[in-house]
Amino acid sequence: MTTEQKINQLREDLRQHNYNYYVLDAPVISDYEFDVMLKELQVLEEKHPEFYDPNSPTLRVGGQVTKNFETVVHDHRMYSLDNSYSKEDLLDWEKRIKKMVDGEVSYTCELKYDGASISLTYEEGELVRAVTRGDGIQGDNVTTNIKTIKSVPLKLKGDFPPKFDIRGEIVLPYEGFAKMNQERIAAGEEPYMNPRNTASGSLKLQDSSEVAKRPLDCLLYNIIGDRLKIVSQLESLEKAREWGFKVPIESKKVDTIDEVLDFVAYWDEHRHDLPYETDGVVIKVNNIQQQEELGYTAKAPRWAMAYKFKAEQAVTVLREITYQVGRTGAITPVANLEPVLLAGTTVKRASLHNADQIEKLDIREKDTVFVEKGGEIIPKIIGVDFQKRTTDSVPTQYISQCPECHTALIRKEGEAQHYCPNYEGCPPQIIGRIQHYISRKAMDIEGLGGETVALLVNEGLIVNYADLYELKKEQVIPLERMAEKSAENLIAGIEKSKEIPFERVLFALGIRYVGETVAKKLAKHYKNIDAIVTATEEELVNVDEIGIKIAQSVKEFFDSEKNKLLVDRLKQYGVQLEISADKLANQTDTLNGQTFVVSGVFEKISRNELKKMIEDNGGKISSSISSKTSFVVAGANMGPSKLEKASKLEIPIISEDDFLDKIT
Ligand code: AMP
Ligand code: ZN
């Protein structure tokens, strides 16, 4: 085989595996094998730039940076959709249609995916351009970013037309969204507001390797072009699927408006089982010939209609705005509400995000407000009922001092959040840092909870996490709700934390932007804390996945004499500040390519130990069960919904002992 043939073979194989994984959700090789092949191709391509292919699978990792996105005029305009809200609306629509076309009319019902719309152009089976909707007439060329989305095919399969556009929606599935937010929160950053905004924001990121890291997905629903020989909307969905696009299977052909309403009713209830957000149903005239006869109004196709799900909204009164101080000093305004029932739960609080948000919506205490629950966990206020506003209402004055320590707040250029700069003296920051240190994913100190930490700080027994290691049982016993036994447990728990591996200690230190993943990367790369302390910003940036923001923050943290002293003290007490030789030796590849979900309570080892063992042996951990899960390791009290999902997908459920057998 010549090098060129080898390169082409690898590209083709990788394309197929990528399709199996991201479109079909049914991989046939392990992630590890995939990575090995990709690496091989990367090496060959680097050596042989003469075989460059703009649609090579290696380009999916991104890297190209776009400063200004080029404006592109759409060949075919991207229309909006008309909305309907009732059976009557739909019947009216049907009447209008039937006046304009001959013959029977049937419909397809599709889900209305809530993301950012995109138009993809393919020529000779290759993706040549991806453009945002923009104003419908022209949009931004975001091709480099779109290429990093793994479910977007770069080359098509089967019998595709020479040139066509395909329209769809870029979405961020809940699971990936939640994971991104967990990492942000752990790193001391503000969580994203909702999946849709995050998806559309992602398309306009300048650095495509940032986009590549986001678990975005692309769902397609409309083929556009000349002489396509497609006769119905349903057929076009099937064709798109054949050519390699991800086209959700929920779409259904129906013949009457009553059936449309059944579809709407079904999905209004079941949409929360889908992995991504939807906000309604789109009903389309199925026959393409009839679609063409119906044509477009100035704004939308006459042959399609959206039916929005009832937004999960409630009306209530905003009692008071309070302000929380996080462990990094970030201030979050919170709306305290008259309790109200929303999507099955009683809501008492809503996030107000920041000062700009309050000002933009002109939210004031005593206002009657609309509360909505979207993809995010904490509900949000989406507007004010101004008619109900009383005459004595006064505009909200955002606080200028920390509610806890009264230090003047600061707001950095370009940041939405206010901060309390009193790093050393602000109680919630002091307490928050220690609470983070002892938390489950960090030092996991048994016998010590968040409230006790607050108590210890307030009693003046500790001011930082290093002080924990000097606590004596006698000092703790007199505390509220403490007894001899619980005090002993607390001291023993602190003692035991000295065994926690380096990567978690690094996470526990609470360096801004250093979440679990980044801590792991740094620990693996530098092996011990001294190497990190002395690393320059340039060196840090050169570590895989460490960006300038993280590098600066790490540098800043260790530039502080106080922090250096803290680390020295931890070292003296015997906390793990390097990767132990044991651990290095313990790592194997036994579980490469296997993904585990851990559920329930275990006897022999803790959950965290179990997870660590999985990762040390090359396995991956996922928080929810999907067809990609290899095994569920189940302890006592595994959740019933997980159990049901695992058996539905026929994922093997193994015990703690089965697992230990696997790796020994
Ligand atoms: P709207 O933005 O509310 O006017 O709704 C129109 C948008 O819905 C379109 O621009 C698409 O981006 C989006 N959409 C989501 N799912 C579908 C679908 N299945 N068919 C057509 N449009 C859809
Ligand atoms: Zn403060």
Side-chain angles (χ1 to χ4, degrees):
M1 213 190 286
T2 65
T3 309
E4 186 175 13
Q5 282 168 331
K6 178 76 197 159
I7 287 178
N8 285 335
Q9 181 70 51
L10 279 167
R11 283 179 182 158
E12 201 162 301
D13 290 350
L14 282 163
R15 219 167 271 133
Q16 181 63 36
H17 290 308
N18 192 74
Y19 172 76
N20 292 343
Y21 190 100
Y22 290 101
V23 179
L24 299 184
D25 209 3
V28 295
I29 61 169
S30 69
D31 294 359
Y32 177 74
E33 286 167 296
F34 185 91
D35 289 343
V36 169
M37 280 167 74
L38 191 68
K39 194 93 219 151
E40 189 182 356
L41 178 59
Q42 265 165 348
V43 170
L44 284 174
E45 286 182 345
E46 246 162 60
K47 269 201 225 148
H48 297 278
E50 67 272 28
F51 302 129
Y52 176 76
D53 175 354
N55 281 332
S56 168
T58 52
L59 297 169
R60 294 227 187 245
V61 294
Q64 248 170 297
V65 174
T66 316
K67 279 270 174 298
N68 290 302
F69 294 95
E70 171 205 10
T71 306
V72 178
V73 178
H74 296 294
D75 279 347
H76 303 268
R77 192 178 150 179
M78 287 180 88
Y79 286 89
S80 177
L81 289 170
D82 284 332
N83 285 317
S84 56
Y85 302 94
S86 64
K87 181 173 180 173
E88 287 65 47
D89 289 350
L90 287 175
L91 289 172
D92 282 348
W93 177 56
E94 182 172 55
K95 225 186 271 166
R96 289 200 298 275
I97 291 172
K98 291 200 164 163
K99 264 191 217 154
M100 293 180 71
V101 300
D102 298 324
E104 291 296 301
V105 178
S106 60
Y107 308 94
T108 55
C109 296
E110 291 168 37
L111 287 164
K112 188 167 185 295
Y113 320 112
D114 202 10
S117 41
I118 194 79
S119 180
L120 308 175
T121 303
Y122 284 82
E123 285 174 18
E124 305 304 334
E126 301 222 13
L127 175 66
V128 293
R129 210 166 29 255
V131 183
T132 62
R133 174 158 117 177
D135 61 4
I137 311 228
Q138 54 183 37
D140 292 316
N141 184 342
V142 290
T143 316
T144 31
N145 284 345
I146 293 297
K147 279 186 182 176
T148 67
I149 300 174
K150 315 293 185 299
S151 54
V152 173
L154 302 181
K155 274 191 206 295
L156 303 180
K157 307 134 65 79
D159 188 18
F160 45 79
K163 183 177 188 317
F164 66 95
D165 286 356
I166 186 162
R167 305 267 161 90
E169 204 80 1
I170 305 293
V171 297
L172 184 55
Y174 294 121
E175 190 183 342
F177 176 70
K179 205 163 153 227
M180 277 172 72
N181 269 348
Q182 272 167 16
E183 281 170 15
R184 283 180 76 85
I185 291 166
E189 293 173 87
E190 266 302 287
Y192 291 115
M193 288 227 237
N194 64 48
R196 189 200 39 220
N197 290 353
T198 315
S200 65
S202 302
L203 299 189
K204 299 290 284 291
L205 289 175
Q206 296 190 336
D207 181 353
S208 59
S209 58
E210 281 302 314
V211 188
K213 280 187 222 154
R214 299 192 173 182
L216 298 163
D217 217 339
C218 178
L219 311 174
L220 284 313
Y221 49 72
N222 226 10
I223 302 175
I224 294 176
D226 303 320
R227 293 180 298 281
L228 294 175
K229 299 196 213 92
I230 292 173
V231 300
S232 73
Q233 171 65 11
L234 205 68
E235 186 192 354
S236 82
L237 296 177
E238 280 159 8
K239 281 268 153 54
R241 211 173 277 133
E242 272 170 33
W243 301 337
F245 292 101
K246 189 160 189 169
V247 180
I249 50 164
E250 286 79 17
S251 326
K252 189 177 171 194
K253 181 181 162 247
V254 301
D255 294 317
T256 65
I257 294 299
D258 278 331
E259 284 177 274
V260 168
L261 290 166
D262 289 343
F263 186 92
V264 171
Y266 180 86
W267 284 108
D268 198 358
E269 195 187 328
H270 289 90
R271 64 186 161 125
H272 300 293
D273 301 337
L274 295 164
Y276 40 78
E277 230 178 326
T278 54
D279 63 343
V281 168
V282 184
I283 307 117
K284 298 175 184 169
V285 169
N286 189 38
N287 184 305
I288 303 280
Q289 170 84 44
Q290 289 179 335
Q291 285 189 4
E292 278 166 12
E293 282 170 40
L294 288 163
Y296 299 81
T297 66
K299 182 186 145 254
R302 290 198 185 84
W303 46 266
M305 186 58 90
Y307 195 107
K308 292 260 175 87
F309 292 131
K310 290 184 281 316
E312 291 178 281
Q313 245 186 40
V315 179
T316 188
V317 172
L318 169 59
R319 281 180 178 162
E320 192 194 3
I321 297 174
T322 53
Y323 300 84
Q324 280 178 349
V325 188
R327 78 173 152 94
T328 59
I331 308 291
T332 313
V334 178
N336 297 272
L337 308 166
E338 294 283 350
V340 64
L341 204 63
L342 174 60
T345 52
T346 303
V347 172
K348 295 194 195 95
R349 289 147 75 84
S351 168
L352 289 168
H353 299 290
N354 53 51
D356 290 346
Q357 182 78 1
I358 294 175
E359 200 185 305
K360 196 173 91 197
L361 298 176
D362 186 16
I363 297 170
R364 307 178 184 184
E365 289 180 349
K366 312 278 177 292
D367 270 347
T368 298
V369 293
F370 301 104
V371 190
E372 198 172 288
K373 209 165 188 174
E376 58 281 348
I377 299 126
I378 307 163
K380 64 178 173 210
I381 290 181
I382 53 154
V384 173
D385 186 345
F386 293 107
Q387 295 187 331
K388 296 240 172 81
R389 181 171 279 172
T390 50
T391 45
D392 57 352
S393 156
V394 281
T396 299
Q397 191 78 41
Y398 203 81
I399 50 168
S400 58
Q401 289 184 354
C402 174
E404 303 282 344
C405 74
H406 311 293
T407 305
L409 298 180
I410 52 159
R411 187 176 181 179
K412 282 198 194 135
E413 192 65 29
E415 285 195 14
Q417 222 66 21
H418 284 73
Y419 281 90
C420 166
N422 186 8
Y423 182 82
E424 279 171 39
C426 183
Q429 294 187 57
I430 296 170
I431 294 169
R433 281 195 297 271
I434 305 174
Q435 285 173 337
H436 170 73
Y437 184 83
I438 65 153
S439 65
R440 214 164 39 85
K441 289 180 169 178
M443 301 303 271
D444 194 19
I445 298 186
E446 254 174 73
L448 178 57
E451 280 173 34
T452 311
V453 167
L455 213 54
L456 289 167
V457 172
N458 292 336
E459 292 294 321
L461 291 175
I462 56 173
V463 288
N464 57 49
Y465 38 69
D467 293 343
L468 287 172
Y469 297 92
E470 294 197 358
L471 275 180
K472 303 271 173 314
K473 193 173 89 178
E474 296 68 39
Q475 293 177 295
V476 183
I477 294 177
L479 292 181
E480 228 177 284
R481 274 177 290 138
M482 271 289 166
E484 172 103 19
K485 187 73 201 148
S486 44
E488 266 168 25
N489 287 345
L490 189 155
I491 303 292
I494 293 172
E495 187 60 27
K496 194 141 184 283
S497 75
K498 295 178 183 171
E499 291 162 23
I500 294 292
F502 176 45
E503 59 186 45
R504 275 172 55 193
V505 179
L506 194 55
F507 169 60
L509 295 181
I511 305 168
R512 199 165 170 208
Y513 305 131
V514 178
E516 270 181 289
T517 327
V518 172
K520 266 184 205 164
K521 289 259 142 68
L522 289 173
K524 225 176 181 160
H525 185 90
Y526 286 102
K527 311 264 188 302
N528 64 61
I529 195 86
D530 297 331
I532 301 178
V533 174
T534 52
T536 64
E537 211 173 283
E538 294 76 53
E539 283 164 359
L540 284 162
V541 175
N542 279 328
V543 180
D544 192 26
E545 286 191 39
I546 306 296
I548 185 75
K549 211 169 65 172
I550 299 173
Q552 277 170 353
S553 167
V554 171
K555 199 79 207 100
E556 200 178 312
F557 185 90
F558 292 113
D559 275 349
S560 142
E561 287 306 321
K562 294 240 158 92
N563 286 335
K564 266 194 265 195
L565 197 69
L566 272 183
V567 170
D568 282 341
R569 282 178 62 199
L570 292 180
K571 214 188 275 176
Q572 273 173 32
Y573 302 133
V575 172
Q576 302 290 316
L577 288 165
E578 58 185 26
I579 296 188
S580 72
D582 262 18
K583 288 280 149 41
L584 280 174
N586 262 338
Q587 299 193 350
T588 75
D589 291 343
T590 321
L591 305 179
N592 260 344
Q594 301 181 13
T595 302
F596 292 79
V597 171
V598 175
S599 180
V601 187
F602 300 91
E603 271 171 28
K604 297 193 179 145
I605 40 178
S606 76
R607 256 171 105 84
N608 280 328
E609 277 167 337
L610 181 62
K611 289 186 172 177
K612 175 111 188 28
M613 281 165 107
I614 294 173
E615 288 187 327
D616 281 349
N617 289 289
K620 262 204 197 162
I621 294 162
S622 168
S623 54
S624 72
I625 298 174
S626 75
S627 61
K628 285 176 204 142
T629 310
S630 321
F631 295 98
V632 177
V633 189
N637 300 331
M638 174 176 174
S641 66
K642 278 200 169 148
L643 195 62
E644 195 188 314
K645 196 151 183 205
S647 43
K648 208 166 101 195
L649 293 170
E650 299 183 7
I651 312 284
I653 299 176
I654 60 174
S655 71
E656 172 179 7
D657 286 328
D658 297 337
F659 173 77
L660 294 172
D661 282 347
K662 257 177 156 353
I663 55 166
T664 45

